[in-house]
Amino acid sequence: MSTSTTLATPPGETVRDPLLEAVRGGVTVYDLGRPFYAGMPQSPNHPAYTHTLPRRHGDKVRPDGGSAANDMLVMGTHVGTHIDALAHVSQDGLLHGGADAAAACVGGRYPEHGIHTVAPMVCRGVLLDLPAALGVASCEPGYEITPADLDRAVREQGTEVEAGDVVLIRSGWGGRFSDPDRTVYIGSESGVPGVGEAGAYWLAERGVRAAGADTIAFECLAPGQGHSVLPAHRVLLVESGVYIIETMNLEEAALHGVHEFTFVLSPLALFGATGSPVRPLAIVGRSAEAAGEADRRG
Amino acid sequence: MSTSTTLATPPGETVRDPLLEAVRGGVTVYDLGRPFYAGMPQSPNHPAYTHTLPRRHGDKVRPDGGSAANDMLVMGTHVGTHIDALAHVSQDGLLHGGADAAAACVGGRYPEHGIHTVAPMVCRGVLLDLPAALGVASCEPGYEITPADLDRAVREQGTEVEAGDVVLIRSGWGGRFSDPDRTVYIGSESGVPGVGEAGAYWLAERGVRAAGADTIAFECLAPGQGHSVLPAHRVLLVESGVYIIETMNLEEAALHGVHEFTFVLSPLALFGATGSPVRPLAIVGRSAEAAGEADRRG
Amino acid sequence: MSTSTTLATPPGETVRDPLLEAVRGGVTVYDLGRPFYAGMPQSPNHPAYTHTLPRRHGDKVRPDGGSAANDMLVMGTHVGTHIDALAHVSQDGLLHGGADAAAACVGGRYPEHGIHTVAPMVCRGVLLDLPAALGVASCEPGYEITPADLDRAVREQGTEVEAGDVVLIRSGWGGRFSDPDRTVYIGSESGVPGVGEAGAYWLAERGVRAAGADTIAFECLAPGQGHSVLPAHRVLLVESGVYIIETMNLEEAALHGVHEFTFVLSPLALFGATGSPVRPLAIVGRSAEAAGEADRRG
Amino acid sequence: MSTSTTLATPPGETVRDPLLEAVRGGVTVYDLGRPFYAGMPQSPNHPAYTHTLPRRHGDKVRPDGGSAANDMLVMGTHVGTHIDALAHVSQDGLLHGGADAAAACVGGRYPEHGIHTVAPMVCRGVLLDLPAALGVASCEPGYEITPADLDRAVREQGTEVEAGDVVLIRSGWGGRFSDPDRTVYIGSESGVPGVGEAGAYWLAERGVRAAGADTIAFECLAPGQGHSVLPAHRVLLVESGVYIIETMNLEEAALHGVHEFTFVLSPLALFGATGSPVRPLAIVGRSAEAAGEADRRG
């Protein structure tokens, strides 16, 4: 790798980084994030994503002919594709690990439970494609994805969930993200499919590091009920210390039959915040991808 | 990978994803991002990073005892560790590729040159450790890193720069990030080290995909001059279409002698924006890392 | 007033400020503004009003036991009760007075047409109570208030409109402001009553300084049409240089039969902005008020 | 006033509003507010005033040729000319009236002590011109304005302070507001003149409704000490329920010898907030003004 490294290595042998070797061999990157734009579907409980240009080209030109444009963002951290920190949810006044939720806030920050404490994730990811397993185009509005459903997806895909994995649950709801009527994806009136308390325990029992979904709230929401109860958040964030990733785009990966991959998610280290916008990736090395393609076509 | 994949594969052979194999073999992840916090050193030309909690635990408790805290962020996109899109800088009224910079703004967005057009990066990364190559603790304030310096770092490290790489230039200035006096890292009065026009051409000629630095502006800034001229931005963003990454933390990787690695950067897909906050990663597979460690100790 | 003033005044005479005399005699102040709060009805075309507390009491206590709480506001300037500057609307590329609308924006500000150019208003105000004049509880959704209607209100109230007055047009729509369903006041589907082009000319011809209404858009909005055309804005702001005040609370003044008063409006001097949130006042001196009360009871 | 009013009035008599009469007789309005602009001097403890144009003319033109520009503001409420609500400051955990400061915050708002509870002010105002009384151009940096100084100003001006007045204390510091170096007006290093604890009691004992100053913090700040102690805030806001107005422009009024006037201040009714930006006015009726002018010239 470096001159001295070569010296430190036995003659004739080259020190290789198997990861970099794989990357150089070619990878396919699936973007699991949604674009951020004004008016995108998001929870009304959080500050709306707003982007403005304080300065545009031409507003201020330097003598040498150069000019810069820049941005101002105003947004919640639980809008767009994002990840929840443990500070986000409490139950009966307690955060995960039993910390007092009120006292955990120090000077307007959560120093011990904030998103800055979440290490970047580079690990195995598993996408559970529920509609594929259940033989439907998409889970119905308000449908609760059960442990049996999750087992079935695992079995059909042949992708066992292991401790430390990040598991992404595709309900098929993501297809509605781009509906011209943004309330369709939000689904307050229709209800939204997702795992309930039982499904959350299924995930927690397997020791996953994080769980994601293609919906705004991750939860199974009954029609017209909104966010009155959030059992999966309680089970995952409070009881189990499992992070939750929401508003993911799982369509492209599912379309290509990508169910197992290298998952990378690098939350912004927003000190003391309860979450972060992210753009997670599913990365597949060359040979596996080729096989996956063959599988999908066959 | 999946049951059906196994079926599609000749008996006795297992389809493997070499990337995932490498990840399962163990990786070390170097966080190249800085934490975001109110009062952090940033350019005064951009909206200050501000984080507040609109809702804290206890503000609103649901009947079932659950409670959520959330955030509001206000910030520029060129604060903290971030990447510049091609929309950020123009020269003589033109963006990269010759587009009219004023006309490229449509309704307050840059649809063709915005950060949402930048694909996530999963590629080879090279860290050029200038202080190590030059035999100093840190480049001096206002020091211009020359092509000869860059060549020397490449030679000493044994890390040739290849087309498509992301090259990170460590000046050593990053050690000042945490100085209690935030103006020390900003360096308006002292000047800041960085590549100049010649160094930028050195990078562009090698066909790099992006170039990063451990300073706010990437550029070599003369003492007391501020951002009066930004030649590296012109050469890289406007003339060459090379993205720039700023305010990186290159200390840890340099300390461990990590000069070549898998680089991952996943900018938020902020539609039409001129940049994005990011948390880039340098990832090293097991065997290479072990060798690097040996090298560093030896 | 001051010692030297007394000296400058002929013996036996006291210099009196008739305004201050009237104030000391007693005034009734009618608050014509609406409260600002998260979720209040506002136009979806403007950044939502958001208020957070970056710091609450207890977050940071000084050694002497003192503590301060503070706020962060994020908002458009055309939300809540507000006034439009001439910079707000253009027609065929021109602002009031014929300035090029694009060129009038210098560095992201409107230096010649911004709200900072609007002097505080201390002048005669006239409230035209349309429902009272028309013998209805409230103008119907989508009802266009005509010049004949305005004439009738003037006649019934006995309040001629004079040059330099501020005229406030009560449609009765303001009663919907506090409806739990905020879309009721916004009225996109139902339509909203207001003056049309003809009514705007009626106002402009009388040389009023500003015109206000108890609706969000001032305009007559047809059901389901939204803001597709805004003729009153064109006539008043662009053609006539008459400022527009929106989302006013005219209920209390109307209830007390207050149709003529001292109007005070003091826009924030937001340099280069297109409008400002305000809290305008209708102030009535004692004797007139007493008479008004008598009138109302009689 | 109105037809029916005329009927209710004895023949030959006209019901008159003495306030409106005075206004029609002519008034001079002194703007006591400062302009709001990016980079203006403000306390670093509060979110910086930021103004951007999400939409400029031309960004979106309607088919009829109309176009609207609009704004987004991000700001603290204690920046620019502003007024403090009782919710702003606590002492030993208590707000004015003994309310528990932590419990007074309900869901991120101060429903009982917020700025929305402050009624618009239309009352007598007194400007105490300290430099004029003390025979200096401006109070020195860090100078504490004493009760004796205040008495002297009252005596020299002939303007007794009465219960219910708003008293504005001119230190002369306001002349620094427009200094190109914004730190000059902020005065952290130099210190800033203002009343101390004793002066605050002087004001409170007189039963004033609000007290204002031409400085950012109202207080006497010792050089290099910043806001380590704020005794006047404690005395006025916490102990006495007297509102504080800061960053006022008292120069023009003082220049014209205007020491007694009708004071109008109409805070934005920001529900639950700790303060509001304002543009207060000193209004003088014709005859008094004429005399004041004569006085000044004489």
Side-chain angles (χ1 to χ4, degrees), chain A:
Chain A
M1 186 174 71
S2 70
T3 308
S4 47
T5 296
T6 305
L7 291 177
T9 308
E13 289 186 37
T14 312
V15 176
R16 289 169 178 280
D17 175 340
L19 186 78
L20 186 52
E21 291 285 310
V23 167
R24 300 184 92 155
V27 295
T28 301
V29 178
Y30 294 92
D31 180 356
L32 306 181
R34 293 285 183 188
F36 287 72
Y37 55 90
M40 69 186 188
Q42 67 161 80
S43 164
N45 293 338
H46 298 285
Y49 173 81
T50 314
H51 165 249
T52 68
L53 296 172
R55 203 192 293 164
R56 303 184 183 187
H57 290 293
D59 280 353
K60 195 174 175 182
V61 180
R62 292 193 309 272
D64 71 347
S67 163
N70 68 10
D71 311 281
M72 183 160 75
L73 298 180
V74 174
M75 60 189 294
T77 61
H78 301 272
V79 305
T81 308
H82 67 275
I83 182 169
D84 296 347
L86 299 181
H88 183 39
V89 171
S90 67
Q91 182 65 33
D92 301 326
L94 304 179
L95 295 176
H96 177 66
D100 180 272
C105 182
V106 180
R109 312 279 175 264
Y110 292 96
E112 303 295 333
H113 305 81
I115 193 65
H116 66 288
T117 66
V118 179
M121 299 177 187
V122 181
C123 62
R124 181 175 180 248
V126 171
L127 186 156
L128 296 181
D129 189 342
L130 273 298
L134 302 175
V136 296
S138 172
C139 295
E140 291 294 307
Y143 177 78
E144 180 176 338
I145 297 170
T146 66
D149 294 340
L150 297 170
D151 282 330
R152 183 165 168 183
V154 164
R155 199 170 53 240
E156 300 237 344
Q157 298 181 176
T159 49
E160 280 299 329
V161 172
E162 299 169 15
D165 285 352
V166 171
V167 175
L168 311 180
I169 298 172
R170 178 176 180 261
S171 70
W173 194 256
R176 304 179 184 217
F177 182 84
S178 303
D179 192 290
D181 177 358
R182 65 199 286 268
T183 66
V184 168
Y185 183 68
I186 298 172
S188 304
E189 305 230 342
S190 63
V192 179
V195 298
E197 185 179 47
Y201 278 125
W202 186 97
L203 289 161
E205 285 160 7
R206 277 152 186 76
V208 302
R209 186 170 175 183
D214 55 356
T215 60
I216 289 180
F218 187 85
E219 306 269 350
C220 169
L221 300 181
Q225 298 284 309
H227 299 178
S228 53
V229 287
L230 302 172
H233 279 68
R234 171 175 50 78
V235 170
L236 294 173
L237 286 173
V238 184
E239 298 182 13
S240 314
V242 175
Y243 307 113
I244 301 177
I245 313 164
E246 289 152 322
T247 315
M248 300 187 83
N249 181 356
L250 305 177
E251 298 308 289
E252 184 81 358
L255 186 69
H256 288 77
V258 175
H259 300 140
E260 186 184 26
F261 41 82
T262 295
F263 179 80
V264 179
L265 180 148
S266 196
L268 299 177
L270 309 170
F271 184 77
T274 69
S276 171
V278 292
R279 190 179 188 180
L281 306 175
I283 315 175
V284 181
R286 191 63 78 201
S287 57
E289 181 198 13
E293 283 293 317
D295 174 25
R296 196 170 59 86
R297 275 189 239 104

Side-chain angles (χ1 to χ4, degrees), chain C residues 157-182:
Chain C
Q157 297 180 178
T159 50
E160 280 298 330
V161 172
E162 300 169 14
D165 285 351
V166 171
V167 175
L168 310 179
I169 298 172
R170 178 175 180 261
S171 70
W173 195 257
R176 304 179 185 217
F177 183 84
S178 303
D179 192 290
D181 178 358
R182 65 199 286 269

Side-chain angles (χ1 to χ4, degrees), chain C residues 1-5 8-9 15-20 22-24 27 29 31 34-38 45-47 49 51-57 62-78 87-93 95 101-102 105 107-110 115-116 118-124 155-159 162 227-230 257-262 264-275 277-281 283-288 291-292 294-295, chain D residues 1-5 8 15-20 22-24 27 29 31 34-38 45-47 49 51-57 62-78 87-93 95 101-102 105 107-110 115-116 118-125 155-159 162 227-230 257-262 264-275 277-281 283-288 291-292 294-295:
Chain C
M1 187 174 74
S2 70
T3 308
S4 47
T5 297
T9 309
V15 176
R16 287 169 179 280
D17 175 340
L19 186 77
L20 187 52
V23 167
R24 300 183 92 156
V27 294
V29 178
D31 180 357
R34 293 286 184 189
F36 287 72
Y37 55 90
N45 293 339
H46 298 284
Y49 174 81
H51 165 250
T52 69
L53 296 172
R55 204 190 295 164
R56 303 184 185 187
H57 290 294
R62 292 193 309 272
D64 71 347
S67 164
N70 68 9
D71 312 280
M72 182 159 76
L73 298 179
V74 174
M75 60 189 294
T77 61
H78 301 271
H88 183 40
V89 171
S90 68
Q91 182 65 32
D92 301 327
L95 294 175
C105 182
R109 312 280 176 265
Y110 292 96
I115 193 65
H116 66 288
V118 179
M121 299 176 187
V122 180
C123 63
R124 181 175 179 247
R155 197 169 56 242
E156 300 237 343
Q157 297 180 178
T159 50
E162 300 169 14
H227 299 177
S228 52
V229 287
L230 301 171
V258 175
H259 300 140
E260 185 183 27
F261 42 82
T262 295
V264 178
L265 180 149
S266 196
L268 299 176
L270 310 170
F271 184 78
T274 69
V278 291
R279 190 180 189 179
L281 306 175
I283 315 175
V284 182
R286 192 61 80 199
S287 57
D295 175 23
Chain D
M1 187 175 75
S2 70
T3 307
S4 46
T5 296
V15 175
R16 288 169 178 282
D17 174 339
L19 187 78
L20 187 52
V23 167
R24 301 183 91 156
V27 294
V29 177
D31 181 356
R34 293 287 184 187
F36 287 73
Y37 55 91
N45 294 338
H46 298 284
Y49 173 81
H51 165 249
T52 69
L53 296 171
R55 205 190 295 164
R56 302 184 185 188
H57 290 293
R62 292 194 308 272
D64 71 347
S67 162
N70 68 10
D71 312 281
M72 183 160 75
L73 298 180
V74 174
M75 61 189 294
T77 60
H78 301 272
H88 183 38
V89 171
S90 67
Q91 182 66 31
D92 301 326
L95 294 176
C105 182
R109 312 278 176 264
Y110 292 96
I115 193 65
H116 66 288
V118 179
M121 300 176 188
V122 180
C123 63
R124 182 174 179 248
R155 198 169 55 240
E156 300 236 345
Q157 296 181 178
T159 49
E162 299 169 15
H227 299 177
S228 52
V229 287
L230 301 171
V258 175
H259 301 139
E260 187 184 25
F261 42 82
T262 295
V264 178
L265 180 149
S266 196
L268 299 177
L270 310 170
F271 184 77
T274 68
V278 291
R279 189 179 189 180
L281 307 175
I283 315 175
V284 181
R286 191 62 81 200
S287 58
D295 174 23

